[in-house]
């Protein structure tokens, strides 16, 4: 897995080049290395403001976006750590509401890399350590931290006492890491995924989750009990009915909340999880009005994003161009629900070779007007023929998104999907760099 970047700033690029030489040593899982690295840095993870720690297969990034927007609507200063970045590495680290500066990023990465030279630390361990160092050195009222991969062995799990932990939607993804055989773990794939995500549970820290199929729910109940974490599960401890609004309820009362402006019905579920996390922690006070305002204000690029005017959308005049970075079956199902019974859309698809080529196409069967396959810039993509078995449409391939857009028939909306890396390239081309 390579998740690196380039920068126009020479000092940042020098540190990114050092990061690019790192990887996850084959077969090494655990928190020993990140704990030692944090010890050398003075354990900054112990000096953070109240932390909202979010895991999940899909929806964790959007849940983080809702949390940040709600906390900021309350007037709080919020640090946020999310991944991956779409255009600039700086997107991963937001300090008191603003993206980290190039100068500070270069300084922190250099400091952590220098401290880890003999540890064989991974890309994720170094980046997590730099993030926590940044958060510990700058004042804020809260931290929103997204789990990178899994939960139990994710570098962010060095956190010791978050204000609250949350688990978003579960699905099968990153099988090579999360389903690797290990004695004492669940045999059922979804239960194993749930077990890994629930590894962020901590003693006396509320664990707030969505509702899941029985095998996954049982794994989470067991993990919470083992960790002695109070569990608050949707459908059992809190509820959210989604219609023309979000009707939220828990033991403390009910709320009537607006639907998000983010595209996709699933975003209401992510917003509800953010509300539940806020209401089940006692470190910060957030009023209902701030929750309402945050739901409407939240932005999260490349998740059913309607692209604005720019050089790329100018190649498809008079039509809407949507962008989504989803790449697994749950994401494909969410995309299919979003388009519902609308007219067939033109799909421009690019996916990494280690992803399921039918993940997006299978849910969209019968909803497509055309299928165009493009590479994912800078990464190893599926070749066009990998998608042939998953679609009844004639398959066309192009060297890039621009060529694919130029070749489309003159009518119909467009969806560009299949990879966050492709989404980042699209945002760069359309001059919509996340801020």
């Amino acid at each position: 897995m390579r998740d690196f970047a380039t920068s126009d700033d020479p000092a940042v690029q020098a540190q990114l080049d050092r990061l690019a030489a790192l990887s996850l040593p084959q077969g090494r899982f655990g928190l020993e290395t990140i704990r030692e690295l944090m010890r050398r840095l003075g354990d900054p993870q112990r000096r953070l403001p109240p932390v909202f720690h979010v895991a999940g297969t899909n929806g964790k990034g959007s849940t983080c976006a809702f949390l940040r927007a709600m906390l900021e609507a309350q007037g709080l200063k919020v640090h946020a750590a999310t991944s991956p970045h779409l255009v600039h590495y700086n997107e991963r680290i937001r300090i008191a509401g603003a993206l980290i500066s190039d100068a500070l990023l270069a300084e922190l990465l250099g400091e952590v890399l220098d401290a880890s030279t003999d540890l064989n630390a991974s890309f994720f361990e170094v980046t997590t350590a730099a993030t926590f160092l940044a958060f510990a050195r700058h004042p804020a009222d809260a931290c929103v931290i997204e789990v990178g991969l899994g939960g139990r062995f994710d570098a962010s799990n060095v956190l010791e006492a978050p204000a609250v932990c949350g688990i978003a939607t579960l699905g099968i993804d990153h099988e090579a890491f999360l389903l690797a055989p290990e004695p004492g773990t669940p045999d059922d794939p979804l239960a194993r995924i749930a077990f890994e995500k629930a590894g962020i549970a901590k003693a006396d820290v509320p664990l707030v989750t969505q509702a899941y199929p029985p095998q996954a729910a049982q794994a989470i109940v067991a993990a919470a009990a083992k960790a002695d974490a109070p569990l608050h599960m949707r459908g059992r401890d809190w509820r959210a009915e989604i219609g023309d609004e979000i009707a939220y309820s828990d033991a403390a009362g009910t709320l009537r909340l607006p639907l998000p402006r983010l595209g996709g019905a699933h975003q209401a579920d992510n917003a509800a999880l953010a509300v539940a996390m806020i209401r089940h922690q006692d470190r910060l006070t957030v009023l209902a009005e701030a929750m309402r305002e945050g739901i409407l204000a939240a932005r999260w690029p490349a998740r059913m994003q309607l692209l604005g005017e720019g050089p790329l959308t100018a190649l498809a005049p008079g039509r809407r161009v949507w962008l989504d970075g989803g790449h697994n079956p749950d994401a494909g199902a969410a995309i299919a629900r979003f388009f519902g019974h609308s007219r067939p859309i033109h799909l421009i698809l690019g996916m990494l070779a280690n992803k399921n080529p039918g993940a997006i196409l299978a849910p969209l069967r019968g909803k497509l007007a055309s299928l165009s396959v493009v590479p994912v810039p800078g990464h190893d993509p599926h070749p066009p023929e990998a998608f042939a078995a998953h679609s009844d449409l004639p398959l066309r391939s192009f060297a890039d998104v621009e060529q694919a857009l130029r070749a489309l028939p003159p009518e119909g909306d467009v969806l560009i999907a299949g990879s966050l890396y492709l989404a980042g390239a699209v945002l760069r081309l359309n001059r919509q760099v996340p801020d």
Side-chain angles (χ1 to χ4, degrees):
M1 179 183 299
R2 296 183 67 82
D3 197 8
F4 310 132
T6 59
S7 175
D8 296 330
D9 185 282
V12 174
Q13 188 60 54
Q15 303 308 324
L16 293 178
D17 290 342
R18 295 175 70 187
L19 272 180
L22 305 179
S23 63
L24 180 64
Q26 195 67 25
R28 192 197 84 203
F29 295 93
L31 299 177
E32 294 80 7
T33 299
I34 182 64
R35 284 177 177 147
E36 172 58 21
L37 178 54
M38 300 304 281
R39 186 194 66 78
R40 295 183 183 187
L41 296 169
D43 284 318
Q45 79 279 8
R46 297 176 179 171
R47 304 193 305 276
L48 302 182
V51 171
F52 294 73
H53 197 201
V54 185
T57 305
N58 292 305
K60 62 183 184 293
S62 298
T63 300
C64 287
F66 285 117
L67 281 168
R68 182 169 71 87
M70 292 176 193
L71 293 166
E72 290 181 340
Q74 185 62 40
L76 302 174
K77 291 184 178 180
V78 183
H79 296 326
T82 57
S83 65
H85 57 274
L86 294 174
V87 179
H88 297 307
Y89 182 96
N90 310 57
E91 297 164 37
R92 293 170 176 262
I93 306 174
R94 191 175 289 270
I95 300 176
L99 296 184
I100 188 170
S101 67
D102 284 337
L104 181 56
L105 177 59
E107 175 187 332
L108 290 171
L109 287 177
E111 181 177 351
V112 175
L113 285 162
D114 289 345
S116 63
T117 51
D118 62 330
L119 291 178
N120 196 25
S122 71
F123 174 92
F124 301 105
E125 288 161 340
V126 168
T127 56
T128 298
T131 299
F132 289 175
L133 205 56
F135 291 173
R137 290 177 177 174
H138 294 82
D141 302 301
C143 286
V144 175
I145 295 176
E146 178 186 0
V147 169
L149 175 60
R152 182 167 61 119
F153 291 142
D154 184 72
S156 70
N157 206 26
V158 73
L159 291 166
E160 297 172 359
V164 61
C165 296
I167 304 178
T169 305
L170 298 178
I172 306 300
D173 201 3
H174 299 295
E175 295 93 327
F177 291 91
L178 301 183
L179 299 183
E182 181 183 341
T185 61
D187 293 328
D188 178 83
L190 190 61
R192 174 63 184 278
I193 296 291
F195 169 82
E196 295 295 340
K197 306 294 183 183
I200 67 171
K202 303 288 188 299
D204 301 321
V205 174
L207 177 64
V208 183
T209 78
Q210 295 281 14
Y212 309 111
Q215 69 273 30
Q218 290 167 10
I220 288 176
V221 169
K226 184 176 180 180
D228 199 21
L231 178 61
H232 307 278
M233 187 171 285
R234 184 175 182 176
R236 190 191 74 174
D237 308 290
W238 63 276
R239 289 169 172 77
E241 301 299 327
I242 312 299
D244 294 334
E245 61 180 2
I246 302 171
Y248 175 94
S249 62
D250 58 25
T254 63
L255 290 176
R256 299 288 178 178
L257 302 166
L259 296 177
R261 290 177 175 143
L262 290 176
H266 59 288
Q267 293 294 3
D269 294 309
N270 296 328
L273 177 61
V275 169
M277 289 181 66
I278 287 175
R279 284 171 66 92
H280 286 91
Q281 56 82 41
D282 59 8
R283 304 275 295 279
L284 294 170
T285 298
V286 181
L287 301 178
E289 186 53 41
M291 296 181 199
R292 295 186 184 96
E293 183 180 335
I295 288 173
L296 295 174
R299 294 182 300 159
W300 195 229
R303 280 73 172 182
M304 290 315 308
Q305 178 180 359
L306 179 62
L307 294 178
E309 293 183 3
L312 200 61
T313 53
L315 301 177
R319 64 179 76 190
R320 293 178 295 181
V321 180
W322 300 91
L323 178 67
D324 195 274
H327 50 260
N328 56 38
D330 281 357
I335 292 170
R337 288 194 299 270
F338 176 77
F339 286 105
H341 301 292
S342 62
R343 291 189 303 168
I345 58 172
H346 300 283
L347 176 61
I348 299 176
L349 182 64
M351 296 185 74
L352 300 188
N354 63 351
K355 301 300 180 183
N356 175 0
I360 304 299
L361 284 175
L364 288 175
R365 190 178 292 271
K367 298 178 182 290
L368 298 181
S370 70
L371 173 60
S372 304
V373 176
V374 296
V376 180
H379 294 80
D380 183 20
H382 275 302
E385 55 268 22
F387 301 102
H390 302 280
S391 176
D392 297 329
L393 292 171
L395 187 151
R396 302 184 300 170
S397 63
F398 297 92
D400 51 42
V401 172
E402 298 100 308
Q403 287 189 20
L405 283 170
R406 289 190 183 99
L408 288 178
E411 296 181 351
D413 287 354
V414 182
L415 169 64
I416 305 171
S419 168
L420 283 170
Y421 299 110
L422 177 63
V426 167
L427 291 173
R428 185 190 294 272
L429 288 169
N430 207 48
R431 298 177 186 167
Q432 287 187 252
V433 177
D435 58 3

